[in-house]
Amino acid sequence: RPDPHSTQPAMDDSDPGTPSPGYAWKFGYGSNMGMEFLRSKKGLNPLDMRRCILTGWSLSFPRGAGLDYVEPAWATLKEDAEGKVHGVAVLFNAEDKTKLDAQEGGYLCEFRKVDLYNGKTKMHAEVYLPKKQRPADHPEGECSARYRDILVNGAKEANLDAAWVAKLERLATYKPDAETLALRDTLPPVSNLPVMTISDLARHDGTDEGFEVYTSACGFIFKQKGGFKVYRGRDITFRNVLHSRHINLDANDDGGKSPFPRLTHLEPSALAYALCYRDRFMHKAGAPVAVLSEFWAEQEAGDLAGVYTSNTLSSL
């Protein structure tokens, strides 16, 4: 059996046989293909893997099924008599199987036969399928570059078919459109908005009906309408940066405290991802209602082209 702590798969395409009671093989075709990603980002311990192909289905990124302006589409499957999906069957113990099922709660989990890469053997694996099949003509959407890279890296790590890897590399990825870029230009100067502290913002976490729910994205505070509870009453920039870097959130998110990421020091991909979250709030909630004082004290003074203007709160 391969070393469970190694990030390099053994490329064993043999029949693994029936798993021990409580253990399960899961067919990964999206973010569940890469052993290192499963460990470092999802907090799981994959025990073994097999390269395989699921027939009768095609990889799909249905438009409107993701988080608009950030992650507009995620990978799923659609029925296709001529279709084939390359992926990785991964072995988990009972605890990690339950954890992964919870993480993938938006999908059905059903047993399917998959063909091993040896071309001779089939095995049973649990597959995450859409809860409802969309019409055959439902348009395809775009995934984020972050998500596309997870798929490509996982497929390369598993040494999947080169043509399949190339297909993943060609996936269309989301970029802010002209409307969103124009909306960014309407963002008020930092100096023109009321100032709130971390403790002020924390009172707007939804636990007190006397305070509206607020969230800070890149230091701008918005009224939050729906969305994730973990975002309430805090700044989410550091969490967004962790996510863009494929770092486990549960183990590393600081809850939106100082020190904050300095926007001028972020790599382009992390900054772009954080700005997409800010875009989402501007589209959904409208203009910001305030700025977060500690955040802006840790940013460069003045302007950062395309990101902010007139930061007079800097203490750098």
Side-chain angles (χ1 to χ4, degrees):
R1 176 167 294 188
D3 176 2
H5 300 293
S6 172
T7 61
Q8 296 300 319
M11 305 311 166
D12 182 357
D13 295 324
S14 65
D15 184 354
T18 303
S20 301
Y23 288 61
W25 287 96
K26 298 277 195 180
F27 176 72
Y29 55 86
S31 64
N32 296 328
M33 288 191 289
M35 303 299 101
E36 178 58 26
F37 186 82
L38 288 167
R39 293 189 185 97
S40 63
K41 181 65 167 69
K42 296 200 169 188
L44 304 172
N45 182 32
L47 301 173
D48 203 350
M49 56 84 72
R50 293 292 188 278
R51 301 177 297 171
C52 46
I53 301 171
L54 175 69
T55 59
W57 300 83
S58 291
L59 191 64
S60 178
F61 296 85
R63 184 183 298 174
L67 195 67
D68 49 354
Y69 308 108
V70 182
E71 304 271 5
W74 289 295
T76 187
L77 299 171
K78 63 179 179 181
E79 291 185 274
D80 178 357
E82 304 299 321
K84 292 185 178 182
V85 178
H86 291 244
V88 181
V90 183
L91 181 64
F92 295 102
N93 63 23
E95 180 182 359
D96 282 346
K97 171 189 179 302
T98 300
K99 286 181 181 178
L100 187 57
D101 285 343
Q103 292 175 11
E104 303 292 355
Y107 296 84
L108 290 175
C109 184
E110 297 184 358
F111 278 101
R112 291 289 188 274
K113 284 185 178 181
V114 293
D115 296 292
L116 291 171
Y117 257 38
N118 63 24
K120 303 174 183 178
T121 313
K122 293 181 181 291
M123 65 178 285
H124 281 92
E126 295 180 14
V127 181
Y128 292 116
L129 300 172
K131 290 183 176 179
K132 183 179 180 181
Q133 283 292 318
R134 293 176 172 80
D137 61 351
H138 186 92
E140 291 291 299
E142 298 172 329
C143 62
S144 68
R146 180 199 73 88
Y147 189 74
R148 186 271 318 275
D149 291 346
I150 293 170
L151 272 61
V152 170
N153 292 340
K156 287 182 175 180
E157 181 188 330
N159 197 23
L160 294 187
D161 178 74
W164 186 259
V165 174
K167 174 186 174 78
L168 297 179
E169 290 176 327
R170 293 193 301 269
L171 287 172
T173 57
Y174 168 75
K175 296 180 180 61
D177 60 14
E179 178 188 1
T180 296
L181 295 177
L183 187 62
R184 289 183 182 182
D185 291 337
T186 70
L187 193 69
V190 174
S191 60
N192 283 12
L193 289 166
V195 175
M196 296 179 68
T197 65
I198 292 173
S199 58
D200 292 334
L201 180 59
R203 301 174 72 182
H204 294 265
D205 64 356
T207 59
D208 187 333
E209 293 183 357
F211 294 91
E212 293 183 281
V213 176
Y214 288 170
T215 297
S216 174
C218 295
F220 288 92
I221 298 171
F222 299 87
K223 293 181 181 180
Q224 182 174 332
K225 300 178 179 180
F228 302 112
K229 288 184 178 180
V230 72
Y231 291 174
R232 296 176 179 178
R234 57 164 292 182
D235 185 85
I236 61 171
T237 310
F238 182 60
R239 186 178 178 92
N240 296 158
V241 170
L242 290 175
H243 202 49
S244 75
R245 294 173 178 169
H246 310 159
I247 296 173
N248 185 279
L249 299 179
D250 292 338
N252 295 282
D253 184 15
D254 64 1
K257 308 300 183 186
S258 176
F260 293 98
R262 192 179 299 184
L263 299 181
T264 54
H265 289 187
L266 290 177
E267 67 274 21
S269 59
L271 177 59
Y273 194 72
L275 291 179
C276 283
Y277 262 98
R278 193 183 71 183
D279 293 340
R280 178 173 168 82
F281 279 103
M282 292 188 72
H283 277 286
K284 301 292 186 180
V289 297
V291 292
L292 187 61
S293 63
E294 293 93 339
F295 183 95
W296 291 106
E298 298 172 12
Q299 307 301 317
E300 305 289 344
D303 304 347
L304 178 59
V307 181
Y308 64 82
T309 59
S310 188
N311 177 22
T312 58
L313 302 177
S314 177
S315 62
L316 298 180

